[in-house]
Structures are given as structure tokens and as C-alpha cells.
Amino acid sequence: MPTQIALPLALPGSGEASRVVIGNANSAAYEALSNPQAWPFRTAALTGPPRSGKSLLGKWAETQGIHVIDGADSWDEAELFHRWNRAQETGEPLLLISDRQPWEIALPDLRSRLGGSLQLEIGVPDDDMVARLIAAIAEQRGLMLGEGALEYLVPRAERSFAEIEHLVIAIDRLSLERKVPATMSLWRDALDATQGPEQARLL
């Protein structure tokens, strides 16, 4: 399995493609998206925490011929029910991405239909995935992390996609503000800024 998938999503101000790291937290979802023919009722629902790459996976899924509705939890439920029916009629796979976890559905017909569809959830990244997330976000920002950065940061970083991103952004910001390379003093200050002092985190 590749560690990253290049996705056709241009970053603001650049011609580069965004990347999503595939690891323990999302490998099952990625594998399922690679085989929509196996989905019950041609439909899958994907949920996960903020900044966990749900939309990027959705962008990639679209290139595989999957009809994607991102932010489906904010759609009119009657319209979603219509889209579910259309997927059954046309055979086109339908992926619904929800920012709510769990996704509570009020319309009984839609709730029962989606209850029988494939349920995909992005989980908590392990150490290996945290390391690759930090490296990927730093590369995306053009940030050179000093030697030993991952060994220092991984055991101290929160197991949260959003907080991992905030941590790398903080390191980048401090490096630019102080006009110094990203070494241990910056890593420590960024951790303190995003997660609080280390001693307090240990209590």
C-alpha cells in the first residue's frame, strides 16, 4: 500500500497536488473506496474527525467514478434520499461524507437506507502515521525539520489530525518569525504553544 496518494486538488497559490497520508486510521476506508463495486446498495458513508482528510479522500474517490457529496450532513435529507435512489437506478456508486460523528439522521427512510450501506470511519492515527503526517505537512509547507524532529515530536504530539497540523504550522511560524532553523528549541516552544507546557501535559 502506498504511504501517500497524490490527489487532483490544487493548493491555494500553487500548482502542486495535495496529498493524503494513508495509515492505520484510514487504510480501511481507502481500501473500501478502491472497490465501490462491493458496497451494499452502491452507497458508503464516511465520517471522521476534523482535518482527517475526508474531503481529500472524496476528491480522490471522484477520480474513481464515485459520485461524492461532501458535507452531506448539512444537506436536505429528502434530497439525499433521492440521491440514494438514483444510485440504485443508475448503478453509480455514491459516497456521503459527514462532518458529524456520529451522524444522526432524522428522516426514517434515509436512516434505514443508509443503515444498510457501508459505514466508513477515520480513526485515531498511531505513531507511524503521526510521523508521516508531520513529515507530509512540513513538506507541503516547505518547512525543513531538523534532525531528530520526528523522534522528539511524535511521542509528544496529540493524536489528533487537527492538532498535528496546528503543531507543524506553529513550528513553521516560529521559524519564520525568529528567522532560525526548526530545531529542538522551536519544537519545544511550538508544543508549549499548541498543547501547553510539557510538565502540565504530564500531570
Side-chain angles (χ1 to χ4, degrees):
M1 180 182 299
T3 56
Q4 293 184 351
I5 306 170
L7 299 173
L9 179 65
L11 295 170
S14 84
E16 297 181 1
S18 292
R19 294 182 180 272
V20 57
V21 172
I22 302 300
N24 74 297
N26 61 6
S27 59
Y30 165 62
E31 291 173 3
L33 293 176
S34 302
N35 186 28
Q37 295 78 16
W39 298 357
F41 303 107
R42 295 282 185 173
T43 307
L46 174 64
T47 62
R51 308 300 297 167
S52 58
K54 299 186 298 294
S55 294
L56 287 176
L57 282 173
K59 289 286 186 181
W60 178 78
E62 287 179 336
T63 69
Q64 309 305 301
I66 298 170
H67 179 56
V68 178
I69 299 178
D70 199 355
D73 50 299
S74 65
W75 276 49
D76 177 76
E77 292 186 353
E79 177 60 23
L80 290 179
F81 183 62
H82 170 70
R83 297 296 182 95
W84 186 93
N85 283 329
R86 191 168 74 180
Q88 313 316 304
E89 295 168 359
T90 65
E92 181 184 30
L94 172 65
L95 174 64
L96 304 177
I97 301 176
S98 170
D99 292 325
R100 298 179 191 173
Q101 194 180 26
W103 180 12
E104 301 292 344
I105 298 172
L107 186 65
D109 285 342
L110 179 63
R111 186 169 61 248
S112 65
R113 300 305 192 278
L114 291 188
S117 303
L118 182 62
Q119 305 298 311
L120 303 173
E121 182 177 353
I122 298 176
V124 178
D126 61 11
D127 285 0
D128 178 69
M129 191 173 185
V130 170
R132 288 189 282 118
L133 285 166
I134 291 172
I137 297 168
E139 179 184 4
Q140 187 180 84
R141 298 183 66 86
L143 170 64
M144 295 293 294
L145 291 170
E147 184 178 353
L150 296 180
E151 290 80 2
Y152 183 85
L153 293 171
V154 168
R156 295 169 172 81
E158 290 189 22
R159 295 309 184 255
S160 157
F161 290 92
E163 291 306 318
I164 291 166
E165 184 177 34
H166 292 159
L167 173 60
V168 178
I169 290 172
I171 295 171
D172 193 20
R173 176 179 54 78
L174 290 173
S175 178
L176 291 171
E177 287 177 354
R178 300 178 186 179
K179 299 180 181 179
V180 296
T183 54
M184 185 178 291
S185 62
L186 259 68
W187 310 336
R188 183 172 53 246
D189 289 350
L191 282 164
D192 289 349
T194 57
Q195 299 178 191
E198 183 170 12
Q199 188 58 41
R201 296 197 303 271
L202 295 175
L203 295 178

